[in-house]
Amino acid sequence: MVKRWGILSLVAVLAVLVGCGAPTATPAGDRAAARPSEIRLDYAYYNPSSLVLKRFGWLEQELQAEGIGVKWVLSAGSNKANEYLRSNAIDFGSTAGAAALLAKANGSPIQTVYIYSKPEWTALVVRKDSPITSVAELKGKKIAATKGTDPYFFLLRALRTAGLSGSDVEIVNLQHNDGRVALERGQVDAWAGLDPHMAQTELEQGSRLIYRNIDFNSYGFLNARSEFLERYPSYVQRVLAAYERARQWILAHPDEAVQILADEAKLSPDVARRELIERTVLSESPIPGERQAAVLREIIPIFEAEQQVPPGTDVEAALQQLFAPQFIEAVAQK
């Protein structure tokens, strides 16, 4: 699968780049309407391909001749990326799968166009001197988590494995890095962590992961505003071709990619390596589909039980409408 996608991706990138210089023969008014003045993307420390794209400026180089600008906005977490998409501050945003589905079920006009990673980016973390060694021991404890993100839903699923629910603990809603700080200062008993902050507290403070399960991590989703998809489908494909170029570059240059992550997130190379090399899978197909849907169906009951969606919301219908694989499929076929 890695080799097949590598060949397809490189061919797709070359095809897109070759075609960039020759606009289609349409009237000037139509061309203007079909061309955005700017493409706005987020970058996130949990989305390594976004960091590579931003560092090398491949999109900027490709779109410069057409007068199209590229704007980068930092997302500190899935909740922030969803806020930016909902408020029309960005066109493409990086979230976990669970966060994308929750946003869609709650009315956000987005679709998932690309899977940027299969990460193990979250786990349950305690301080090095904590007596807690299992999920069951979290009952009645304070746990930091960022609501609406993969670590939050990971926490709820982990609690279920011990016969607990969110009501059996005190969840302190903090942005990811603030949760790390609260854990290290002893302000909470545990933290539903997110890399690279999780790797950082492991390596630098000796914090311990008491529960890990990569299958409870809901993939890395690149989502786009539905309006942008409808108005500029050819530019969606070009963005995804650039994403494929970045993914393949990371697979071919892991050490350089580690350094980019370390530079961008201001991490030590050891922390960046743990996140990117040890806990991030980039070799799976980037086409959103049934693999991701199966993971998200396991989370739907938690949405409902924890009242994350209004009563009566058809979350399965939202899931059916979430994926737009045709854009990356078109890139692969070129």
Side-chain angles (χ1 to χ4, degrees), residues 39-56:
I39 296 179
R40 304 162 301 168
L41 309 96
D42 77 342
Y43 67 102
Y45 305 142
Y46 51 86
N47 178 356
S49 293
S50 71
L51 303 181
V52 170
L53 272 180
K54 179 175 176 287
R55 169 66 63 91
F56 290 121

Side-chain angles (χ1 to χ4, degrees), residues 125-169:
V125 190
V126 298
R127 292 183 304 280
K128 65 179 180 180
D129 58 351
S130 172
I132 298 171
T133 60
S134 69
V135 176
E137 295 173 70
L138 293 174
K139 185 174 182 178
K141 303 298 185 182
K142 284 186 177 181
I143 306 172
T146 308
K147 289 188 175 181
T149 69
D150 227 27
Y152 176 71
F153 296 114
F154 182 94
L155 168 62
L156 296 179
R157 295 186 75 183
L159 290 172
R160 285 191 165 199
T161 68
L164 303 174
S165 71
S167 62
D168 292 309
V169 299

Side-chain angles (χ1 to χ4, degrees), residues 42-218:
D42 77 342
Y43 67 102
Y45 305 142
Y46 51 86
N47 178 356
S49 293
S50 71
L51 303 181
V52 170
L53 272 180
K54 179 175 176 287
R55 169 66 63 91
F56 290 121
W58 291 331
L59 273 174
E60 289 87 340
Q61 295 166 19
E62 180 184 339
L63 299 173
Q64 184 177 17
E66 298 176 61
I68 298 173
V70 176
K71 180 180 179 181
W72 294 97
V73 177
L74 175 65
S75 286
S78 295
N79 59 325
K80 294 299 182 183
N82 277 329
E83 285 178 20
Y84 299 148
L85 286 165
R86 190 167 49 248
S87 64
N88 192 19
I90 57 176
D91 304 306
F92 294 87
S94 312
T95 74
L101 177 58
L102 181 63
K104 184 73 171 177
N106 283 320
S108 184
I110 60 170
Q111 286 187 285
T112 301
V113 293
Y114 187 81
I115 303 301
Y116 59 81
S117 71
K118 180 183 179 179
E120 187 191 6
W121 52 22
T122 185
L124 299 187
V125 190
V126 298
R127 292 183 304 280
K128 65 179 180 180
D129 58 351
S130 172
I132 298 171
T133 60
S134 69
V135 176
E137 295 173 70
L138 293 174
K139 185 174 182 178
K141 303 298 185 182
K142 284 186 177 181
I143 306 172
T146 308
K147 289 188 175 181
T149 69
D150 227 27
Y152 176 71
F153 296 114
F154 182 94
L155 168 62
L156 296 179
R157 295 186 75 183
L159 290 172
R160 285 191 165 199
T161 68
L164 303 174
S165 71
S167 62
D168 292 309
V169 299
E170 181 182 345
I171 298 177
V172 181
N173 185 25
L174 295 171
Q175 198 63 46
H176 300 297
N177 191 50
D178 295 331
R180 175 187 65 83
V181 173
L183 177 74
E184 293 173 354
R185 291 178 176 174
Q187 297 167 337
V188 295
D189 301 294
W191 169 52
L194 182 74
D195 274 336
H197 311 295
M198 185 168 70
Q200 187 174 24
T201 194
E202 275 186 281
L203 292 175
E204 297 178 1
Q205 301 296 325
S207 299
R208 296 183 291 108
L209 309 187
I210 62 165
Y211 184 79
R212 298 174 65 175
N213 188 336
I214 192 171
D215 293 331
F216 281 8
N217 292 254
S218 64

